Amino acid sequence: MLPPMADMMTKMSSAIGGLLIAYAMFQNYFPYELGGPIKRYTQKFISFFYPYIEITFPEYHGDGFERSKAYAAIQRYLNANSTKHAKRLQANVVRDTESIVLSMAEHEEVTDEYEGIKLWWASSVTTPDRQSISFYPREDEKRYFKLTFHKRYRDLITNNYLKHVLDQGKAITVRERRRKLYTNHKSEGCESMWSHVIFEHPASFDTLAMDPRKKQEIVNDLINFTNSKDYYAKIGKAWKRGYLLYGPPGTGKSTMIAAMANLLKYDVYDLELTAVKDNTELRKLLIDTASKSIIVIEDIDCSLDLTGQREKKKADKKEGYQNGKKKDEEKDQIKEKLKELEEEKNKTSQVTLSGLLNFIDGLWSACGSERLIVFTTNYVEKLDPALIRRGRMDMRIELSYCGFEAFKFLAKNYLDIDSHELFATVRQQLEETKMAPADVAENLMPKSGSDDVETCLRRLMKALEEAKEEERRKAEEEEKQKEGEEEGKKKEMENGKHEKLENEVKENGEANKGSDEGENLENGGIENGK
């Protein structure tokens, strides 16, 4: 049995060798100009009988510098749905994910099924024949996915299945990615102007100490925003929303932003305006932000001199033309020019109020979608009204001092209690004293293993008493200062009246003296004439 098998293998090898030799001779002696047309017509002839359609999705498209979003979405979809059918896998730590991801190895094929239709996905890579030196590996090796299906399902696959794959891949990307906290810095060349760290803030609306009804209203507004893409397109507005968080220090403005990000699974861009050179750089920063993000400008009243600029210009103009004289004519031009040059030298940012308004609500704000813009401030009255009007800051959230409902939430969170005999006293003290939720939480937090519930509550009561005494002392000092200022004003008014009377008496005396001298001269002249 073995000799015939050996003879068969020998004959097959000889036949294959002969075909290779014939093909080599064909390539050497057959005209090169006829090779292209023959290949094209051969492929057409084969495709006439071939019942399947193939669609290729390259990893890079266009000039080869931007990775295809479709390729990335297909990769995530196949990793999650079809990798279990593959026999050859490769392990990768994909960027923005939290764990090792298994994907198809190169030249591996898996099957998928959609509405009873069987499809084939293949992962392939092509390497050019010539060797070249390149800074970009993708110029040498080009990866792509190839989808194969029967031509009778062409419309269903191209219209429905591909959309299903891309949507599922994007959803998996959002679900698996690790959210980031970005901050801006001065860019150099093509380097990105944003640097980031992994965002791992534990805050949530479940741990946020504020009125439950107000908290639920904010949550509903945020969720409604994420589901309103079609509505914003219908009314002709960019898919963004502005939030203004204001209140005294320590009332939870930064914690509120972290809770928003954790609820919506958004990245956070912490924009530092003092590090922005001018309005052009501000627009570049906006373009470089991704969708599904929160752009935060904290302490907007302290970031730049953007408050009341319009009023200042009006006042300067009025002062400059007062009494028919221009302001520039009243000053020395050389000193004024030197002063302007010195101010320009020391100026770190040239971002204007107009540039910031265009950033929030101008044409450039439509570059991207699904963004929240959040301002925080301790003094909302200092902000220019144009900056916080409706349409720019759509929702204004006041975070005030700790009330009794917020205290009960903190007591439950920090001490795991719903009620206590000291709650009534604490409630009365909170109504009489202003204390931020951060200070209340700090006093409720156990400082050692021996601190029990009563110890923590009494520490809070003592802190409230001290805060009340401090408020009383400050009120007395302000009252004394006010009385001193009023006394000073009265003395100034009295001194002014005395000076006025003295001047009037002095003027009257000089006038009387002059009239007496005139009469004496006139009488002397008459006598001499006689």
Side-chain angles (χ1 to χ4, degrees), residues 34 36 149 161 166 248 254 309 319 363 373 385 390 485 520 522 530:
L34 297 178
F149 57 92
Y161 175 71
L166 296 180
S254 298
Q309 287 186 352
E319 182 181 353
L363 294 175
I373 300 176
R390 299 292 181 183
E485 291 176 355
N520 292 335
E522 185 179 355
K530 289 182 179 181

Side-chain angles (χ1 to χ4, degrees), residues 1 29-30 35 73 94 96-97 133 139 162 180 185 201 206 208 236 274 284 350 367 386 399 485 489 512 530:
M1 187 68 181
Y29 296 102
F30 192 81
V94 182
D96 301 343
T97 59
I133 299 175
E139 292 181 0
L162 291 181
K180 299 175 183 178
H185 57 83
H201 201 291
D206 293 334
L208 199 62
T274 55
K284 291 180 180 178
Q350 298 179 6
C367 299
L399 300 172
E485 291 176 355
K489 289 180 180 179
N512 292 334
K530 289 182 179 181

Side-chain angles (χ1 to χ4, degrees), residues 234-483:
K234 175 186 174 183
I235 63 177
K237 289 185 64 176
W239 191 14
K240 64 178 184 60
R241 190 161 177 81
Y243 290 83
L244 175 65
L245 310 182
Y246 64 96
T251 51
K253 295 183 285 294
S254 298
T255 307
M256 170 71 74
I257 295 171
M260 288 178 173
N262 288 330
L263 175 69
L264 303 179
K265 308 297 183 185
Y266 282 7
D267 292 328
V268 179
Y269 290 83
D270 186 11
L271 178 59
E272 179 59 49
L273 285 178
T274 55
V276 182
K277 181 180 178 181
D278 50 26
N279 294 336
T280 302
E281 187 172 308
L282 185 64
R283 289 192 290 268
K284 291 180 180 178
L285 284 167
L286 176 64
I287 295 172
D288 207 19
T289 59
S291 299
K292 293 183 179 293
S293 60
I294 302 176
I295 302 175
V296 180
I297 304 179
E298 293 195 272
D299 297 322
I300 181 66
D301 55 303
C302 303
S303 297
L304 289 174
D305 186 18
L306 299 172
T307 57
Q309 287 186 352
R310 299 181 181 183
E311 288 76 2
K312 183 178 179 181
K313 290 180 181 179
K314 291 179 182 179
D316 291 344
K317 186 176 180 180
K318 183 177 180 180
E319 182 181 353
Y321 287 93
Q322 192 174 7
N323 298 326
K325 295 181 180 180
K326 294 182 179 179
K327 185 178 181 180
D328 294 336
E329 294 176 353
E330 296 175 354
K331 296 182 179 180
D332 186 81
Q333 294 182 357
I334 298 176
K335 291 182 179 180
E336 183 67 21
K337 188 67 176 176
L338 291 174
K339 184 178 179 181
E340 291 178 358
L341 292 174
E342 186 67 23
E343 289 179 353
E344 188 68 24
K345 182 180 178 180
N346 297 329
K347 199 171 184 180
T348 58
S349 177
Q350 298 179 6
V351 176
T352 63
L353 177 61
S354 175
L356 185 60
L357 295 180
N358 290 329
F359 174 84
I360 301 169
D361 196 33
L363 294 175
W364 290 94
S365 66
C367 299
S369 61
E370 200 171 355
R371 289 195 185 104
L372 298 180
I373 300 176
V374 181
F375 286 171
T376 70
T377 179
N378 296 334
Y379 308 100
V380 66
E381 64 277 0
K382 291 184 178 181
L383 299 180
D384 192 295
L387 191 64
I388 58 175
R389 68 164 177 81
R390 299 292 181 183
R392 293 192 174 113
M393 293 294 106
D394 302 287
M395 191 171 188
R396 304 180 183 185
I397 303 172
E398 181 181 7
L399 300 172
S400 58
Y401 293 104
C402 186
F404 185 64
E405 292 298 326
F407 159 74
K408 288 196 300 182
F409 182 87
L410 291 171
K412 175 66 176 177
N413 196 20
Y414 283 83
L415 303 177
D416 200 20
I417 57 174
D418 294 317
S419 62
H420 194 274
E421 58 184 6
L422 296 177
F423 273 22
T425 305
V426 174
R427 180 172 189 169
Q428 182 179 358
Q429 289 180 321
L430 288 173
E431 292 174 353
E432 298 173 354
T433 309
K434 295 179 180 179
M435 181 174 284
D439 296 328
V440 174
E442 181 62 27
N443 286 285
L444 287 177
M445 183 181 297
K447 301 299 187 292
S448 65
S450 60
D451 288 353
D452 56 6
V453 173
E454 186 170 347
T455 302
C456 297
L457 289 175
R458 291 196 179 278
R459 181 168 57 238
L460 174 61
M461 292 167 59
K462 182 180 178 181
L464 288 168
E465 286 290 342
E466 293 175 354
K468 183 178 179 180
E469 182 65 23
E470 182 69 16
E471 288 180 4
R472 186 187 63 80
R473 186 181 62 79
K474 287 183 179 180
E476 290 179 354
E477 290 179 356
E478 290 177 358
E479 187 66 26
K480 289 181 181 180
Q481 184 178 0
K482 186 177 180 181
E483 291 177 357

Side-chain angles (χ1 to χ4, degrees), residues 75-313:
Q75 186 180 45
R76 294 292 176 90
Y77 172 82
L78 294 177
N79 293 347
N81 295 280
S82 302
T83 312
K84 57 186 178 181
H85 302 299
K87 296 180 180 180
R88 294 186 302 114
L89 302 171
Q90 60 183 9
N92 299 310
V93 180
V94 182
R95 188 180 63 179
D96 301 343
T97 59
E98 299 179 353
S99 58
I100 295 177
V101 177
L102 297 177
S103 60
M104 290 192 304
E106 294 175 357
H107 306 292
E108 181 66 8
E109 184 177 283
V110 295
T111 58
D112 193 18
E113 188 173 334
Y114 179 74
E115 296 186 3
I117 303 172
K118 192 174 182 179
L119 309 100
W120 294 267
W121 284 100
S123 174
S124 303
V125 58
T126 57
T127 304
D129 296 333
R130 61 183 181 87
Q131 298 295 326
S132 62
I133 299 175
S134 172
F135 292 102
Y136 302 96
R138 57 180 174 268
E139 292 181 0
D140 295 333
E141 296 182 350
K142 298 181 179 180
R143 294 175 174 82
Y144 60 90
F145 286 114
K146 183 172 67 174
L147 173 64
T148 305
F149 57 92
H150 200 282
K151 61 183 180 181
R152 72 165 66 100
Y153 305 117
R154 181 188 186 109
D155 293 337
L156 181 63
I157 299 302
T158 55
N159 295 331
N160 299 339
Y161 175 71
L162 291 181
K163 185 178 183 301
H164 164 76
V165 170
L166 296 180
D167 292 342
Q168 289 291 320
K170 292 177 182 178
I172 294 170
T173 302
V174 173
R175 186 168 62 248
E176 292 182 351
R177 74 187 179 98
R178 301 188 69 180
R179 285 172 294 111
K180 299 175 183 178
L181 173 62
Y182 292 84
T183 185
N184 60 300
H185 57 83
K186 294 182 179 179
S187 63
E188 297 180 1
C190 298
E191 182 186 358
S192 174
M193 293 187 290
W194 294 101
S195 56
H196 69 270
V197 296
I198 300 301
F199 183 75
E200 296 178 334
H201 201 291
S204 66
F205 280 94
D206 293 334
T207 61
L208 199 62
M210 64 182 303
D211 187 281
R213 290 176 296 179
K214 190 174 182 181
K215 185 192 303 187
Q216 189 61 44
E217 180 184 352
I218 298 170
V219 170
N220 293 340
D221 187 81
L222 291 169
I223 294 176
N224 180 68
F225 168 77
T226 60
N227 298 326
S228 301
K229 179 180 179 180
D230 295 336
Y231 177 75
Y232 275 84
K234 175 186 174 183
I235 63 177
K237 289 185 64 176
W239 191 14
K240 64 178 184 60
R241 190 161 177 81
Y243 290 83
L244 175 65
L245 310 182
Y246 64 96
T251 51
K253 295 183 285 294
S254 298
T255 307
M256 170 71 74
I257 295 171
M260 288 178 173
N262 288 330
L263 175 69
L264 303 179
K265 308 297 183 185
Y266 282 7
D267 292 328
V268 179
Y269 290 83
D270 186 11
L271 178 59
E272 179 59 49
L273 285 178
T274 55
V276 182
K277 181 180 178 181
D278 50 26
N279 294 336
T280 302
E281 187 172 308
L282 185 64
R283 289 192 290 268
K284 291 180 180 178
L285 284 167
L286 176 64
I287 295 172
D288 207 19
T289 59
S291 299
K292 293 183 179 293
S293 60
I294 302 176
I295 302 175
V296 180
I297 304 179
E298 293 195 272
D299 297 322
I300 181 66
D301 55 303
C302 303
S303 297
L304 289 174
D305 186 18
L306 299 172
T307 57
Q309 287 186 352
R310 299 181 181 183
E311 288 76 2
K312 183 178 179 181
K313 290 180 181 179

